[in-house]
């Protein structure tokens, strides 16, 4: 059986705080690639002439890559090691960025999004488990705080930098991904030098590629609460990442691409600050607080659209950021605590599957409803779904999250 003890750092390898920073950078840069498109969707929509439904499908199609990664490769880093798995994820991210850079039509965007999802699915599960093992001691809550805060920082930075480049620099659909490729190369060099924590890595041929979505029987009841909370939390993030630019342009009449990136950056920074500022909260309290906050958050989003109010939208974004952060951090912290050491990456991957589905599937529904009815009705339906989810999950959380 593979051992997960701390390993001795060899010459020229990054260990300690530097290794943790490299693993955090891995998570941040992968997630930055997923939101670099957020301010660009409106430009792509005009350039390639596709509908609102197609726009949401371009956003959501990356879940195909996520699910492929997590179903087929959820345990790969447990077997072959964290570093080889992370390097493979970065290679996939580079190919994805190249497809975006040279995209000529909708098919290129779909392929790039699927590859982006594949890289994130492979790399983030490995990176999160890597962080948990690099931290000394039995308390793994710090790993959850670092992983989730850097996740949101990456999401926010990707959207903000892309929005600024799209608004104020030339070649808006090219320059963003040229810059992103440079960042990927730099982080890959760090990962190459980072200490491995799987003490007896196996070979890739030892990994079973049989699709699996497995949570050990003895923790399944405990797993339900964080999974449901993670779904709802990331549904809020998906709403902003895919639809906020269109809402700003159509309902609030704000067409500046930097504003679209800045709104998502606000959500992400509030989320990261919330994660760090609430570290003293227990995982159970964190999840329950998130579920309660989701209700006024979605109510404010609908009100902002109804009244075409940027002030309400800014307030809604802050509340959504706090709710998403608490739900995601609390859920991941519970998963890290309950997962057996030799199956940690697999269980974390199962949690991410729930999060990625929440991030993508509601967005598709909103896109369809926006075309059949109108954007405000679609947002109201989304708000209703989140409220029902929150109430159901509150019941689950009170019973099982101990």
């Amino acid at each position: 059986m593979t051992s997960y003890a701390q390993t001795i750092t060899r010459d020229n390898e990054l260990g300690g705080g530097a290794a943790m920073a490299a693993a955090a950078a891995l998570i941040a840069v992968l997630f930055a690639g997923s939101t670099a498109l957020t301010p660009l969707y409106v430009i792509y929509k005009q350039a390639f002439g596709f509908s609102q439904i197609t726009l949401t499908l371009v956003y959501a199609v990356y879940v195909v890559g996520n699910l492929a990664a997590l179903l087929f490769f959820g345990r790969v880093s447990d077997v072959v090691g964290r570093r080889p798995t992370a390097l493979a994820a970065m290679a996939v991210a580079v190919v994805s960025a190249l497809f975006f850079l040279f995209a000529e039509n909708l098919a290129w965007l779909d392929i790039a999004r699927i590859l982006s999802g594949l890289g994130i699915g492979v790399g983030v599960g490995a990176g999160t488990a890597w962080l948990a093992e690099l931290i000394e001691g039995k308390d793994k809550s710090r790993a959850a705080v670092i992983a989730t805060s850097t996740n949101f920082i990456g999401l926010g930075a990707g959207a903000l930098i892309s929005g600024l480049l799209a608004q104020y620099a030339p070649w808006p659909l090219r320059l963003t991904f040229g810059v992103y490729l440079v960042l990927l190369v730099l982080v890959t060099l760090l990962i190459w030098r980072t200490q491995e924590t799987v003490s007896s890595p196996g070979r890739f041929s030892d990994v079973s590629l049989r699709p699996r979505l497995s949570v050990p029987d003895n923790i399944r009841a405990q797993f339900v609460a964080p999974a449901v909370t993670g779904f709802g939390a990331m549904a809020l993030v998906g709403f902003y990442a895919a639809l906020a630019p269109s809402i700003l342009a159509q309902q609030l009449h704000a067409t500046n691409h930097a504003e679209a990136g800045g709104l998502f950056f606000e959500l992400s920074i509030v989320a990261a600050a919330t994660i760090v500022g609430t570290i003293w909260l227990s995982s159970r309290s964190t999840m329950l607080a998130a579920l309660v906050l989701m209700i006024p958050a979605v109510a404010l989003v609908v009100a902002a659209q109804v009244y075409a109010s940027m002030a309400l939208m800014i307030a809604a974004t802050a509340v959504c950021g706090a709710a998403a952060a608490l739900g995601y951090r609390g859920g991941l912290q519970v998963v890290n605590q309950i997962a057996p050491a030799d199956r940690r990456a697999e269980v974390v991957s199962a949690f991410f599957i729930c999060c990625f589905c929440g991030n993508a599937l509601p967005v598709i529904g909103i896109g369809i409803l926006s075309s059949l009815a109108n954007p405000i009705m679609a947002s109201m339906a989304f708000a209703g779904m989140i409220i029902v989810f929150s109430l159901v999950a509150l019941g689950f959380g009170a019973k099982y999250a101990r």
Side-chain angles (χ1 to χ4, degrees), residues 2 4 75-87 126 130 133 196-203 207:
T2 306
Y4 293 84
R75 287 193 69 244
V76 67
S77 76
D78 288 337
V79 177
V80 306
R82 310 303 183 201
R83 181 166 53 195
T85 305
L87 290 172
W130 206 353
E133 291 153 7
E196 178 60 71
T197 54
V198 176
S199 59
S200 301
R203 296 172 298 178
V207 180

Side-chain angles (χ1 to χ4, degrees), residues 48-82:
F48 294 164
F50 51 69
S51 67
Q52 183 70 15
I53 293 178
T54 303
L55 185 153
T56 56
L57 289 174
V58 170
Y59 173 80
V61 74
Y62 90 107
V63 79
V64 174
N66 294 151
L67 294 178
L70 297 174
L71 288 172
F72 289 94
F73 304 113
R75 287 193 69 244
V76 67
S77 76
D78 288 337
V79 177
V80 306
R82 310 303 183 201

Side-chain angles (χ1 to χ4, degrees), residues 26-44:
L26 164 72
I27 295 170
V29 77
L30 287 173
F31 273 110
S34 73
T35 54
L37 263 72
T38 295
L40 305 181
Y41 283 124
V42 173
I43 304 175
Y44 277 121

Side-chain angles (χ1 to χ4, degrees), residues 132-172:
E133 291 153 7
L134 285 166
I135 292 175
E136 298 179 358
K138 294 182 179 180
D139 181 10
K140 301 302 180 184
S141 61
R142 188 181 173 198
V145 170
I146 295 172
T148 52
S149 59
T150 52
N151 175 339
F152 281 109
I153 289 171
L155 290 171
L160 180 63
I161 293 170
S162 174
L164 290 170
L165 292 175
Q167 185 65 35
Y168 301 114
W171 317 301

Side-chain angles (χ1 to χ4, degrees), residues 307-328:
Y307 295 106
S309 169
M310 181 62 79
L312 280 176
M313 196 66 182
I314 291 171
T317 302
V319 180
C320 283
L326 292 173
Y328 186 55

Side-chain angles (χ1 to χ4, degrees), residues 112-371:
R113 285 291 285 169
I114 291 171
L115 289 174
S116 176
L118 182 63
I120 290 170
V122 171
V124 173
T128 302
W130 206 353
L131 273 172
E133 291 153 7
L134 285 166
I135 292 175
E136 298 179 358
K138 294 182 179 180
D139 181 10
K140 301 302 180 184
S141 61
R142 188 181 173 198
V145 170
I146 295 172
T148 52
S149 59
T150 52
N151 175 339
F152 281 109
I153 289 171
L155 290 171
L160 180 63
I161 293 170
S162 174
L164 290 170
L165 292 175
Q167 185 65 35
Y168 301 114
W171 317 301
L173 300 182
R174 309 293 183 192
L175 185 59
T176 294
F177 298 103
V179 172
Y180 184 55
L181 280 167
V182 173
L183 291 175
L184 286 173
V185 171
L186 293 175
V187 174
T188 299
L189 293 175
L190 287 176
I191 294 299
W192 183 270
R193 294 189 55 204
T194 300
Q195 165 192 356
E196 178 60 71
T197 54
V198 176
S199 59
S200 301
R203 296 172 298 178
F204 185 80
S205 59
D206 298 329
V207 180
S208 172
L209 296 183
R210 179 171 58 87
R212 59 189 298 170
L213 176 58
S214 177
V215 176
D217 292 342
N218 62 322
I219 65 168
R220 284 184 182 175
Q222 296 169 278
F223 182 79
V224 171
V228 173
T229 306
F231 183 98
M234 296 311 292
L236 295 176
V237 175
F239 179 89
Y240 271 86
L243 302 171
S246 295
I247 291 172
L248 288 178
Q250 295 171 13
Q251 272 79 55
L252 277 67
H253 310 295
T255 58
N256 186 299
H257 302 302
E259 288 183 7
L263 192 70
F264 193 86
F265 181 74
E266 178 204 346
L267 180 142
S268 301
I269 291 303
V270 168
T274 300
I275 289 168
V276 175
T278 59
I279 190 172
W280 51 273
L281 279 177
S282 68
S283 57
R284 179 175 182 272
S285 298
T286 301
M287 285 195 296
L288 295 179
L291 294 167
V292 171
L293 271 180
M294 287 180 192
I295 297 172
V298 290
L300 281 169
V301 168
V302 173
Q305 291 181 253
V306 170
Y307 295 106
S309 169
M310 181 62 79
L312 280 176
M313 196 66 182
I314 291 171
T317 302
V319 180
C320 283
L326 292 173
Y328 186 55
R329 194 270 285 181
L332 182 56
Q333 183 175 327
V334 170
V335 169
N336 264 330
Q337 290 170 347
I338 66 176
D342 62 339
R343 297 182 66 180
R344 181 174 287 118
E346 182 181 0
V347 176
V348 168
S349 293
F351 172 76
F352 282 135
I353 284 176
C354 298
C355 292
F356 289 138
C357 286
N359 191 238
L361 297 182
V363 167
I364 297 174
I366 296 170
I368 295 172
L369 284 174
S370 295
S371 299

